[in-house]
């Protein structure tokens, strides 16, 4: 299986329905915590949004904070997702987060909204080295903090994913257990700060029927059955991460 091609096909497919009303409802509820707790510090800053997915600054940050920024640059490796809206007046660049076309410390803050699980995994690759390259590149272009929102699975479900990778050869979407990311970051000399954890039912109530996988519109479950945990946190950039 060609992982990059599979990821591209996956995002091309969901780009047409990414902002369905149901998905927008969940996204708005999830972003509200970031807007309240993390994004006020962005006022007057230079911001890079990695894995932007075609979302304009005001959608992510709110109108007031978005209007205050010195600069906002959106990066995504999938052109279809990045350019699915045509009239936005912010900079969009097609690039891989592990190979960014910017000078050192070009931005004050880097945003990662649900990006890590889209790194995918191939059976023959070292997942730690993949994440290390990614975070080193983010730290290179960032002067202050990386602000993250990510979904995590329980450890036993991550183990099942790893079995699936061995059988299938790769998975275009691979959701980590939080403990796995913590171990990766610790090995890099990084730690999560300002952590807030939520369940999907905290946002939309226990009986909201949510779309589990965006490209399979028929696969829905009530929110209280969701295995995912939504975790918000910051990663202060360490000067010794080289």
């Amino acid at each position: 299986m060609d992982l990059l091609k599979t990821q591209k096909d996956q995002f091309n497919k969901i780009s047409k329905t990414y902002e369905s009303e149901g998905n927008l409802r969940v996204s708005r509820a999830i972003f509200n915590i970031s807007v309240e707790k993390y994004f006020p510090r962005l006022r007057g800053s230079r911001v890079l949004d990695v894995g932007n997915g075609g979302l304009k600054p005001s959608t992510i940050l709110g109108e007031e904070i978005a209007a205050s920024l010195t600069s906002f640059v959106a990066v995504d490796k999938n052109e279809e997702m990045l350019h699915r809206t045509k009239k936005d007046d912010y900079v969009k660049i097609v690039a891989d987060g592990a190979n960014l076309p910017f000078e050192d410390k070009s931005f004050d803050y880097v945003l990662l909204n649900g990006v890590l699980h889209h790194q995918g995994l191939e059976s023959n690759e070292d997942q730690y080295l993949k994440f290390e390259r990614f975070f080193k590149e983010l730290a290179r272009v960032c002067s202050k903090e990386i602000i993250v929102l990510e979904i995590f699975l329980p450890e036993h479900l991550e183990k099942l994913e790893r079995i699936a990778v061995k059988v299938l050869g790769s998975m275009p979407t691979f959701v980590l257990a939080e403990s796995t990311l913590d171990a990766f970051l610790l090995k890099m000399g990084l730690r999560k700060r300002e952590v807030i954890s939520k369940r999907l039912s905290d946002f939309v109530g226990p009986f909201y029927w949510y779309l589990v996988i965006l490209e399979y519109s028929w696969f829905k479950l009530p929110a209280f059955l969701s295995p995912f945990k939504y975790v918000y946190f910051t990663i202060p950039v360490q000067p010794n991460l080289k």
Side-chain angles (χ1 to χ4, degrees), residues 9-18 81 214-215:
D9 292 343
Q10 181 185 58
F11 278 104
N12 285 349
K13 185 175 182 180
I14 69 174
S15 68
K16 298 175 178 61
T17 58
Y18 190 71
M81 285 292 289
L214 288 177
E215 64 263 46

Side-chain angles (χ1 to χ4, degrees), residues 53-64:
L55 294 176
K56 59 185 179 181
S58 59
T59 299
I60 302 168
L61 308 173
E63 295 284 354
E64 181 203 349

Side-chain angles (χ1 to χ4, degrees), residues 115-142:
V115 173
L116 300 182
H117 62 280
H118 290 305
Q119 297 295 309
L121 182 64
E122 295 184 86
S123 59
N124 61 350
E125 72 178 342
D126 186 317
Q127 192 177 35
Y128 167 73
L129 291 179
K130 184 174 191 173
F131 274 84
E132 183 184 44
R133 287 192 298 270
F134 183 70
F135 277 104
K136 280 185 175 180
E137 184 67 348
L138 300 184
R140 181 185 68 78
V141 303
C142 180

Side-chain angles (χ1 to χ4, degrees), residues 14-40:
I14 69 174
S15 68
K16 298 175 178 61
T17 58
Y18 190 71
E19 288 191 346
S20 66
E21 183 55 37
N23 191 46
L24 277 176
R25 177 186 171 185
V26 176
S27 297
R28 282 194 294 264
I30 290 171
F31 277 135
N32 281 344
I33 291 179
S34 293
V35 172
E36 178 183 347
K37 300 293 185 180
Y38 300 96
F39 293 161

Side-chain angles (χ1 to χ4, degrees), residues 24-218:
L24 277 176
R25 177 186 171 185
V26 176
S27 297
R28 282 194 294 264
I30 290 171
F31 277 135
N32 281 344
I33 291 179
S34 293
V35 172
E36 178 183 347
K37 300 293 185 180
Y38 300 96
F39 293 161
R41 72 193 68 183
L42 303 182
R43 289 188 178 93
S45 297
R46 304 165 300 165
V47 174
L48 174 66
D49 185 22
V50 174
N52 170 264
L55 294 176
K56 59 185 179 181
S58 59
T59 299
I60 302 168
L61 308 173
E63 295 284 354
E64 181 203 349
I65 295 171
S68 77
L69 299 182
T70 302
S71 64
F72 180 93
V73 177
V75 163
D76 203 294
K77 65 181 180 182
N78 186 276
E79 187 171 6
E80 184 78 15
M81 285 292 289
L82 189 61
H83 294 291
R84 61 197 174 84
T85 52
K86 307 298 183 182
K87 298 180 180 180
D88 300 316
D89 57 355
Y90 60 96
V91 178
K92 299 178 180 180
I93 297 175
V94 178
D96 191 327
N99 185 24
L100 295 168
F102 308 114
E103 296 182 359
D104 294 358
K105 309 308 177 190
S106 296
F107 302 93
D108 302 303
Y109 296 94
V110 171
L111 307 183
L112 294 178
N113 290 311
V115 173
L116 300 182
H117 62 280
H118 290 305
Q119 297 295 309
L121 182 64
E122 295 184 86
S123 59
N124 61 350
E125 72 178 342
D126 186 317
Q127 192 177 35
Y128 167 73
L129 291 179
K130 184 174 191 173
F131 274 84
E132 183 184 44
R133 287 192 298 270
F134 183 70
F135 277 104
K136 280 185 175 180
E137 184 67 348
L138 300 184
R140 181 185 68 78
V141 303
C142 180
S143 66
K144 293 183 179 179
E145 287 179 327
I146 303 166
I147 300 177
V148 185
L149 163 60
E150 188 52 56
I151 60 172
F152 294 101
L153 282 173
E155 291 182 6
H156 69 280
L157 292 181
E158 186 198 274
K159 290 177 182 178
L160 290 178
E161 285 184 299
R162 294 191 184 279
I163 293 171
V165 169
K166 289 181 180 179
V167 173
L168 300 174
S170 67
M171 287 181 66
T173 301
F174 188 96
V175 184
L176 295 171
E178 188 175 3
S179 58
T180 300
L181 181 65
D182 288 344
F184 286 171
L185 293 175
L186 184 61
K187 193 173 179 180
M188 296 176 214
L190 300 173
R191 290 182 184 272
K192 304 199 314 291
R193 306 290 187 191
E194 304 178 75
V195 179
I196 298 174
S197 296
K198 296 286 184 180
R199 296 288 179 181
L200 180 61
S201 56
D202 294 329
F203 301 118
V204 293
F207 301 108
Y208 176 79
W209 285 77
Y210 79 103
L211 189 60
V212 180
I213 303 173
L214 288 177
E215 64 263 46
Y216 300 117
S217 59
W218 52 268

